[in-house]
């Protein structure tokens, strides 16, 4: 309990210091150049009615709404942003850009986020790694800034609770400083071999670039029964800080996934990352 507490505080201080240095020196540039959003060509549909409405704002001609699959927590999250007319009809020619900032009162800082993907019909997909949870009495917390058609600036307060168990963990590395490792597996999974995804991001002042050229070694372990499982596969880079491997849960129960970062065949993470997973 004690070490978890100190870990959290030191991480918070680390980020706060980083943010303070950033605000004092004014270096770094966290804006993206608005250009045509990439079109998602993958064949899938998003059912807005199955999503939770997080926030919305009405403009003169448009309504902008923010949705998510579930309540948002401090991990790698997918957010949907919908632009409609005041009558609710989709705005098909909307141009949208965004970024995220955590306002902590005395300081603020950003976090890793991916470019918007245009899903068509005024619906956009954003992917953000919330590297910490909102904190009581410390600023407004996470704010999603959107820019519609290069002119209307809209901000949404995002309620980011702490992910339990942790799914995004910072770890020191040999060459790249503090790296945020996010596990993309749900908290509850089924038995059997399955793919396991991670994203890796480093910090460069107040920007958080995706980190490639690593591998994530995956080991499974069942603490109550003192055994692991065969046929796990190291997660290999797919670009943009995304990694995919395999994990094999041979029975139901409480497992942990131990993850270590490797670069050029050498272990470079300063401590082993542990992600608890319930196998149903
Ligand atoms: Cu923060």
């Amino acid at each position: 309990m004690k070490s978890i507490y100190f870990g959290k505080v030191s991480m918070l201080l680390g980020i706060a210091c980083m943010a303070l240095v950033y605000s004092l020196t004014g270096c770094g540039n966290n804006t993206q150049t608005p250009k045509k959003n990439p079109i998602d060509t993958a064949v899938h549909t998003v059912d807005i009615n199955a999503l939770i409405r997080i926030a919305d704002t009405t403009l003169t001609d448009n309504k902008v709404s923010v949705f998510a699959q579930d309540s948002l927590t401090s991990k790698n999250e997918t957010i949907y942003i919908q632009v409609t007319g005041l009558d609710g009809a989709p705005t098909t020619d909307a141009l949208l850009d965004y970024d995220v900032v955590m306002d902590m009162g005395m300081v603020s800082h950003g976090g890793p986020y991916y470019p918007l993907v245009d899903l068509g019909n005024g619906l956009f997909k954003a992917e953000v790694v919330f590297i910490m949870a909102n904190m009581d009495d410390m600023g407004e917390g996470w704010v999603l800034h959107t820019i519609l058609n290069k002119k209307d600036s809209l901000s949404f307060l995002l309620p980011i609770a702490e992910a339990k168990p942790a799914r995004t963990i910072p770890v020191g590395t040999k060459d790249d400083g503090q790296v945020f490792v996010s596990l993309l597996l749900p908290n509850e999974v089924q038995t059997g071999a399955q793919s396991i995804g991670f994203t890796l991001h480093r910090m460069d002042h107040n920007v958080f670039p995706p980190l490639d050229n690593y591998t994530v070694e995956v080991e499974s372990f069942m603490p109550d029964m003192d055994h692991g499982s065969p046929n796990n596969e190291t997660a290999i880079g797919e670009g943009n800080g995304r990694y995919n491997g395999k994990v094999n849960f041979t029975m139901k129960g409480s497992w942990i996934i131990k993850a270590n970062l490797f670069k050029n065949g050498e272990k470079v993470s300063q401590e082993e990352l542990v992600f608890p997973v319930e196998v149903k």
Side-chain angles (χ1 to χ4, degrees), residues 142-171:
W142 285 97
V143 184
L144 172 73
H145 296 293
T146 61
I147 299 163
L148 178 61
N149 298 327
K150 299 188 183 182
K151 56 182 172 66
D152 293 315
S153 183
L154 301 166
S155 296
F156 301 89
L157 297 181
L158 299 179
I160 308 298
E162 188 177 345
K164 289 176 184 167
R167 284 295 179 258
T168 294
I169 302 178
V171 65

Coordinates of all heavy atoms in Angstrom, one line a residue, residues 142-171:
W142 N -8.9 16.9 -16.9 CA -8.6 16.7 -18.3 C -9.6 17.5 -19.1 O -10.9 17.5 -18.8 CB -8.7 15.3 -18.7 CG -7.5 14.5 -18.3 CD1 -7.4 13.7 -17.1 CD2 -6.3 14.4 -18.9 NE1 -6.1 13.2 -17.1 CE2 -5.4 13.6 -18.2 CE3 -5.8 14.9 -20.1 CZ2 -4.1 13.3 -18.6 CZ3 -4.5 14.7 -20.5 CH2 -3.7 13.8 -19.7
V143 N -9.1 18.2 -20.1 CA -10.0 19.1 -21.0 C -9.7 18.6 -22.4 O -8.5 18.5 -22.8 CB -9.7 20.6 -20.8 CG1 -10.6 21.4 -21.7 CG2 -9.8 21.0 -19.3
L144 N -10.8 18.3 -23.1 CA -10.7 18.0 -24.6 C -11.0 19.3 -25.3 O -12.0 19.9 -25.2 CB -11.7 16.9 -24.9 CG -11.9 16.6 -26.4 CD1 -10.7 15.8 -26.9 CD2 -13.2 15.8 -26.6
H145 N -9.9 19.8 -26.1 CA -10.1 21.0 -26.9 C -10.4 20.5 -28.3 O -9.6 19.8 -28.9 CB -8.9 21.9 -26.9 CG -8.5 22.4 -25.6 ND1 -9.3 23.4 -24.9 CD2 -7.5 22.2 -24.7 CE1 -8.8 23.7 -23.8 NE2 -7.7 23.0 -23.6
T146 N -11.5 21.0 -28.9 CA -11.7 20.7 -30.3 C -11.9 22.0 -31.1 O -12.3 23.1 -30.5 CB -13.1 19.9 -30.5 OG1 -14.2 20.7 -30.0 CG2 -13.0 18.6 -29.7
I147 N -11.5 22.0 -32.3 CA -11.6 23.1 -33.2 C -12.4 22.7 -34.4 O -12.0 21.7 -35.2 CB -10.2 23.7 -33.7 CG1 -9.4 24.1 -32.5 CG2 -10.4 24.8 -34.7 CD1 -7.9 24.3 -32.7
L148 N -13.6 23.3 -34.6 CA -14.5 22.9 -35.7 C -14.3 23.9 -36.8 O -14.4 25.1 -36.7 CB -15.9 22.9 -35.2 CG -17.0 22.6 -36.2 CD1 -16.9 21.2 -36.7 CD2 -18.4 22.8 -35.5
N149 N -14.1 23.3 -38.0 CA -13.9 24.1 -39.3 C -12.9 25.2 -39.1 O -13.1 26.3 -39.7 CB -15.3 24.6 -39.7 CG -16.3 23.5 -40.0 OD1 -15.8 22.4 -40.5 ND2 -17.5 23.7 -39.7
K150 N -11.9 24.9 -38.4 CA -10.7 25.9 -38.2 C -11.1 27.2 -37.5 O -10.3 28.1 -37.5 CB -10.1 26.2 -39.5 CG -9.5 25.0 -40.2 CD -8.7 25.4 -41.4 CE -8.1 24.1 -42.2 NZ -7.3 24.5 -43.3
K151 N -12.3 27.3 -37.0 CA -12.7 28.6 -36.4 C -13.3 28.5 -35.0 O -13.0 29.2 -34.1 CB -13.6 29.4 -37.3 CG -14.9 28.7 -37.8 CD -15.6 29.6 -38.7 CE -16.8 28.9 -39.4 NZ -17.9 28.6 -38.5
D152 N -14.2 27.5 -34.8 CA -14.9 27.4 -33.5 C -14.2 26.6 -32.6 O -14.0 25.4 -32.8 CB -16.3 26.9 -33.7 CG -17.2 27.9 -34.5 OD1 -17.2 29.1 -34.2 OD2 -17.9 27.4 -35.4
S153 N -13.7 27.1 -31.5 CA -13.0 26.4 -30.5 C -13.9 26.0 -29.3 O -14.6 26.8 -28.7 CB -11.9 27.3 -29.9 OG -11.1 26.6 -29.0
L154 N -14.0 24.7 -29.1 CA -14.9 24.1 -28.1 C -14.1 23.3 -27.1 O -13.2 22.5 -27.5 CB -15.9 23.2 -28.7 CG -16.8 23.9 -29.7 CD1 -17.6 22.8 -30.5 CD2 -17.8 24.8 -29.1
S155 N -14.4 23.5 -25.8 CA -13.7 22.7 -24.8 C -14.6 21.8 -24.0 O -15.7 22.3 -23.6 CB -12.9 23.6 -23.8 OG -11.9 24.3 -24.6
F156 N -14.3 20.6 -23.7 CA -15.1 19.7 -22.9 C -14.3 19.2 -21.7 O -13.2 18.7 -21.8 CB -15.5 18.5 -23.8 CG -16.3 18.8 -25.0 CD1 -15.6 19.1 -26.2 CD2 -17.7 18.9 -25.0 CE1 -16.3 19.4 -27.4 CE2 -18.4 19.2 -26.2 CZ -17.7 19.5 -27.3
L157 N -15.0 19.3 -20.5 CA -14.3 18.7 -19.4 C -14.6 17.2 -19.4 O -15.7 16.8 -19.6 CB -14.9 19.3 -18.1 CG -14.7 20.8 -17.9 CD1 -15.4 21.3 -16.6 CD2 -13.2 21.2 -17.9
L158 N -13.5 16.4 -19.2 CA -13.7 15.0 -19.2 C -13.5 14.4 -17.8 O -12.5 14.7 -17.1 CB -12.6 14.4 -20.1 CG -12.7 14.8 -21.6 CD1 -11.6 14.1 -22.4 CD2 -14.0 14.5 -22.2
P159 N -14.5 13.7 -17.3 CA -14.4 13.0 -16.0 C -13.5 11.8 -16.1 O -14.0 10.7 -16.5 CB -15.8 12.7 -15.7 CG -16.5 12.5 -17.0 CD -15.7 13.3 -18.0
I160 N -12.2 11.9 -15.8 CA -11.3 10.7 -15.9 C -11.1 10.2 -14.5 O -10.4 10.8 -13.6 CB -10.0 11.2 -16.5 CG1 -10.2 11.9 -17.8 CG2 -9.1 9.9 -16.7 CD1 -10.9 11.1 -18.9
A161 N -11.7 9.0 -14.2 CA -11.5 8.3 -12.9 C -10.2 7.5 -13.0 O -9.7 7.2 -14.1 CB -12.7 7.5 -12.6
E162 N -9.7 7.0 -11.8 CA -8.5 6.2 -11.8 C -8.9 4.8 -12.3 O -9.8 4.2 -11.8 CB -8.0 6.1 -10.4 CG -6.6 5.5 -10.4 CD -6.0 5.5 -9.0 OE1 -6.5 6.2 -8.1 OE2 -5.1 4.7 -8.8
A163 N -8.1 4.3 -13.3 CA -8.3 2.9 -13.7 C -7.8 1.9 -12.7 O -6.7 2.1 -12.1 CB -7.5 2.7 -15.0
K164 N -8.7 1.0 -12.3 CA -8.4 0.0 -11.3 C -8.7 -1.4 -11.9 O -9.8 -1.7 -12.1 CB -9.1 0.2 -10.0 CG -8.7 1.5 -9.3 CD -9.5 1.7 -8.0 CE -9.1 3.0 -7.4 NZ -10.0 3.5 -6.4
P165 N -7.7 -2.2 -12.0 CA -6.3 -2.0 -11.8 C -5.7 -1.1 -12.9 O -6.3 -0.8 -13.9 CB -5.7 -3.4 -11.9 CG -6.6 -4.1 -12.8 CD -8.0 -3.6 -12.6
A166 N -4.5 -0.6 -12.6 CA -3.8 0.4 -13.5 C -3.6 -0.3 -14.9 O -3.3 -1.5 -15.0 CB -2.5 0.8 -13.0
R167 N -3.9 0.5 -16.0 CA -3.7 0.0 -17.3 C -2.7 0.8 -18.1 O -2.2 0.5 -19.2 CB -5.0 0.0 -18.1 CG -5.9 -1.2 -17.7 CD -5.3 -2.5 -18.1 NE -6.0 -3.7 -17.7 CZ -5.7 -4.5 -16.7 NH1 -4.7 -4.2 -15.9 NH2 -6.4 -5.6 -16.5
T168 N -2.3 2.0 -17.6 CA -1.2 2.8 -18.1 C -0.2 3.1 -17.0 O -0.6 3.6 -16.0 CB -1.8 4.2 -18.7 OG1 -2.6 3.9 -19.8 CG2 -0.6 5.1 -19.1
I169 N 1.0 2.6 -17.2 CA 2.0 2.7 -16.1 C 3.3 3.3 -16.7 O 3.7 2.9 -17.8 CB 2.3 1.3 -15.6 CG1 1.1 0.6 -15.1 CG2 3.4 1.3 -14.5 CD1 1.3 -0.9 -14.6
P170 N 3.8 4.3 -16.0 CA 5.1 4.9 -16.4 C 6.3 4.1 -16.0 O 6.2 3.5 -14.9 CB 5.1 6.3 -15.7 CG 4.3 6.1 -14.5 CD 3.3 5.0 -14.8
V171 N 7.3 3.9 -16.8 CA 8.5 3.2 -16.4 C 9.7 3.9 -17.0 O 9.7 4.4 -18.1 CB 8.4 1.7 -16.9 CG1 8.4 1.6 -18.4 CG2 9.5 0.9 -16.3

